Amino acid sequence: MLALPTSGWAGGPGKWTKLAQVDTLGDTFGMLRTGNGVLHLVWLKKRASNNKQSYGTSSISLGGKLLATGTALANWDSLAPDPRLVRDGKGLRLIFEGSTGNSGCFFDGTIFTETSASGSSWSLVHGSMSLHTAGVGNLAATTESDGTTPVAAFAGGHFFHVGVDPNCPAASPDGTITPTPPTDTQSFPAMATDARDGSVWVAWFQTFTKQGFWVERILPTQGAPMEAPGSVGTALKNNQPLEPVALTARAGGGIYMAYCASSASQPCAHIDLWKVGAKTARVVPGSKNTTSARLALAASPQGRVAVAWFDAAKEVIHMVRTNMIATAFGAVQTIKAPAATSGFNDIQADGSSGRVDVVITDQLSTTGIPIDLFHTQILPGLTLRAKPKKFSHRAKGRVTFTVTDAGDPLAGVAVSCLGKKGSTAANGQVKLAFPKGTATGKHVCSAGKSGYHGGKVTIKVT
């Protein structure tokens, strides 16, 4: 059952809302937005006094308000700290690893699943999603392009399984993700389904001998593993993500991965955004020299891809998104981490609403050193340009202002400068005229539109 929150539910851009307290900083969580606009989360609750474990839920509105909290699964002997949420038609499917501790289907510790029409009540599915029963944690999941067939990758990204088998453990075999030489030490897997061709992809980080980020197509046919360009790290300059690899499927086609590219002196010299299969990756603006980076990707319905990352040195979260064809970046936005942040592990993002919803696992330095889940939203930024940027007060001036969102022109933006106002047309432009005798000096002009963080440009009157 869902319960209405009693406090801390206001939400919205730049406001942190505490969702829950968890036991371990390394815990991750499942996140999915359903067709009604509600963002759903599932996480591992703090262990109960009887030593049993449960999964908690939260639902968040388009505007960032915490609508309700609840429980998806309760009183199991053990539950893994990485539940995953995927589509199940118009509803949700929870994929997880655990054991009831009793005989029967749910005793063997394989991958199991629950379904829910709206996130308010859940039905445990009899059956499993793995033949293996040992070491099946470190889980990733997605749904095939039909929107109903679940696919799970587990054991750090060693194995995968398609669909739910009615047997426990599954009678149908698990697939094997291709080992990458010289070792097959996959970890921190992530999955995505390309809506353009229905292909399903698994990404992982390879540890030990040769560190790096890898990805492989597993459906409809299995391909060869590909190493992300420039992603190789070393034992001393370890770019291991310590959270699921940042992976997303772009609306309109393409799988994208983000990762730290290390250098001889730094584990995260910069963050790269890679379209899987491309020969090179793009450096994310504002990401150079990031300390203890945690990063996430989010796709929007318009084809944009947003990158969000945490920088421990500055205790801030940055976000930047691409244009609609994912070839250029917009303005970098920055918000502060929650007050008293002392440890930071997992960050995930959702861009399906236009805003970017960000959820983090965060340790605080307050009494008891709590580890909490927090949610906020970040608005995309406007870029405002002026041409010319300088004119003389001895004559009339006429300036063309152009407003873009990551290079895409934006209509209906209010532009204000020196008391003059106008609204951009479909080409993102508006022309403002200034009289002879306009005050000399530098003047800041601004652009604003609902759903965006404002843009600014400085012009000079001589």
Side-chain angles (χ1 to χ4, degrees):
M1 295 292 292
L2 292 176
L4 294 177
T6 56
S7 63
W9 54 270
K15 298 178 181 178
W16 288 105
T17 299
K18 177 182 172 180
L19 303 177
Q21 190 173 112
V22 298
D23 279 324
T24 307
L25 189 58
D27 288 4
T28 64
F29 44 88
M31 185 163 72
L32 179 74
R33 191 182 301 279
T34 46
N36 61 358
V38 176
L39 184 66
H40 299 268
L41 285 95
V42 175
W43 73 91
L44 183 63
K45 285 187 173 184
K46 289 180 69 67
R47 191 177 288 271
S49 57
N50 63 359
N51 214 31
K52 297 291 186 178
Q53 292 192 293
S54 305
Y55 284 131
T57 66
S58 290
S59 57
I60 299 168
S61 74
L62 280 170
K65 292 184 179 181
L66 176 58
L67 300 174
T69 60
T71 301
L73 187 68
N75 296 318
W76 279 44
D77 252 31
S78 66
L79 290 171
D82 54 0
R84 299 293 174 235
L85 279 180
V86 299
R87 289 175 55 203
D88 182 47
K90 294 182 179 180
L92 307 93
R93 183 183 295 273
L94 168 62
I95 298 176
F96 64 97
E97 184 266 329
S99 173
T100 58
N102 302 314
S103 60
C105 180
F106 306 110
F107 168 72
D108 51 40
T110 63
I111 307 300
F112 300 114
T113 179
E114 277 194 319
T115 59
S116 176
S118 63
S120 59
S121 61
W122 294 81
S123 299
L124 185 61
V125 177
H126 189 282
S128 65
M129 290 190 67
S130 69
L131 172 61
H132 288 79
T133 60
V136 296
N138 212 337
L139 177 67
T142 187
T143 305
E144 289 196 75
S145 57
D146 62 6
T148 58
T149 304
V151 186
F154 47 91
H158 288 270
F159 304 111
F160 67 92
H161 198 99
V162 181
V164 181
D165 192 300
N167 300 283
C168 301
S172 52
D174 299 327
T176 301
I177 296 168
T178 307
T180 47
T183 61
D184 60 347
T185 50
Q186 291 103 316
S187 61
F188 305 105
M191 301 186 75
T193 301
D194 192 335
R196 177 183 53 191
D197 59 12
S199 57
V200 176
W201 298 77
V202 179
W204 66 90
F205 180 79
Q206 178 160 317
T207 55
F208 300 119
T209 309
K210 185 182 179 183
Q211 295 181 2
F213 291 79
W214 293 76
V215 64
E216 178 176 299
R217 187 190 70 238
I218 60 170
L219 293 172
T221 58
Q222 196 162 352
M226 292 183 283
E227 187 173 17
S231 71
V232 176
T234 66
L236 294 178
K237 302 304 174 187
N238 187 351
N239 59 346
Q240 187 172 4
L242 299 178
E243 61 181 339
V245 173
L247 190 77
T248 195
R250 175 183 165 271
I255 301 295
Y256 286 76
M257 180 195 293
Y259 50 89
C260 275
S262 64
S263 67
S265 59
Q266 291 180 304
C268 195
H270 51 81
I271 293 170
D272 285 354
L273 178 65
W274 178 48
K275 181 181 181 181
V276 170
K279 292 183 179 179
T280 59
R282 298 177 185 272
V283 176
V284 176
S287 70
K288 291 184 177 180
N289 305 322
T290 299
T291 302
S292 299
R294 300 289 182 268
L295 61 148
L297 285 182
S300 80
Q302 297 80 27
R304 302 181 190 276
V305 176
V307 188
W309 70 98
F310 173 72
D311 188 338
K314 301 174 183 177
E315 291 195 352
V316 296
I317 293 172
H318 302 289
M319 188 280 291
V320 63
R321 71 178 189 176
T322 70
N323 59 2
M324 289 187 283
I325 57 174
T327 57
F329 293 98
V332 178
Q333 303 302 303
T334 302
I335 63 170
K336 293 181 179 179
T341 291
S342 64
F344 192 109
N345 189 72
D346 189 29
I347 179 171
Q348 292 187 41
D350 178 273
S352 58
S353 72
R355 302 175 178 188
V356 175
D357 287 79
V358 173
V359 181
I360 63 173
T361 308
D362 194 36
Q363 186 172 53
L364 306 181
S365 60
T366 54
T367 303
I369 317 297
I371 302 169
D372 296 332
L373 293 183
F374 284 97
H375 167 267
T376 193
Q377 294 181 324
I378 305 176
L379 297 178
L382 298 174
T383 299
L384 176 63
R385 293 185 173 88
K387 186 178 181 179
K389 294 185 69 174
K390 181 172 68 174
F391 63 88
S392 171
H393 75 286
R394 294 186 177 91
K396 294 180 180 179
R398 190 172 180 84
V399 178
T400 299
F401 293 92
T402 303
V403 183
T404 57
D405 176 358
D408 294 322
L410 203 59
V413 181
V415 176
S416 176
C417 188
L418 285 166
K420 303 294 182 179
K421 297 180 180 181
S423 181
T424 59
N427 63 357
Q429 294 184 346
V430 61
K431 295 180 180 180
L432 298 182
F434 302 95
K436 180 180 179 179
T438 296
T440 59
K442 293 182 179 180
H443 305 278
V444 177
C445 310
S446 62
K449 183 179 175 69
S450 177
Y452 286 86
H453 189 275
K456 294 182 179 180
V457 67
T458 299
I459 64 171
K460 185 176 182 180
V461 181
T462 58

